[in-house]
Amino acid sequence: ATGEKAVYIANVLKCRPPANRNPAPQEMAQCVPYLQRQVALLQPTIILALGRFAAQSLLQSTVPEAANIPLGKLRGQTYRFENVPVIVTYHPAYLLRTPQDKAKAWADLCLALAVSQ
């Protein structure tokens, strides 16, 4: 139908490290080729990076210092991954723990919608 948009959810990490620990940079780097291939096949109009690890993986080639920048400071801008616009926002689990930031996440979703049109 006209006006409908499909959503595809992809994890930057293709498997979670043992004991649910945070991934090491080399573990995240090993998954990037799979994500690049998914983007090439799906040709998305926008990518919404949910959380710190997604942002770090997607921005590592264009914003190398992203690993050292707080997620809140990465918000509100349009980046690129494989020439696709990327918007950074909070991870849903973070929003469950910090509901006062839901309005910021809503603003990020509105930005993503505006950029994708």
Side-chain angles (χ1 to χ4, degrees):
T2 305
E4 287 186 19
K5 294 198 178 208
V7 173
Y8 183 84
I9 298 172
N11 291 317
V12 294
L13 291 173
K14 302 311 177 191
C15 58
R16 190 71 182 171
N20 207 28
R21 67 170 165 73
N22 288 337
Q26 65 270 22
E27 290 170 326
M28 290 193 324
Q30 288 176 331
C31 295
V32 170
Y34 296 100
L35 187 62
Q36 288 170 322
R37 184 68 177 139
Q38 284 179 303
V39 169
L41 290 170
L42 295 167
Q43 300 180 9
T45 56
I46 190 142
I47 297 173
L48 187 63
L50 301 176
R52 181 168 50 112
F53 298 121
Q56 288 174 4
S57 290
L58 292 165
L59 303 182
Q60 68 182 346
S61 63
T62 56
V63 186
E65 68 278 8
N68 300 317
I69 299 173
L71 187 74
K73 293 191 185 278
L74 292 171
R75 296 178 48 257
Q77 301 177 57
T78 303
Y79 303 95
R80 299 203 78 78
F81 177 80
E82 301 295 310
N83 208 32
V84 177
V86 174
I87 302 297
V88 174
T89 193
Y90 298 108
H91 192 279
Y94 169 82
L95 293 172
L96 288 173
R97 295 187 309 271
T98 317
Q100 63 269 25
D101 282 343
K102 286 182 181 181
K104 293 177 184 176
W106 179 254
D108 297 335
L109 292 173
C110 291
L111 174 60
L113 182 61
V115 169
S116 70
Q117 295 181 346

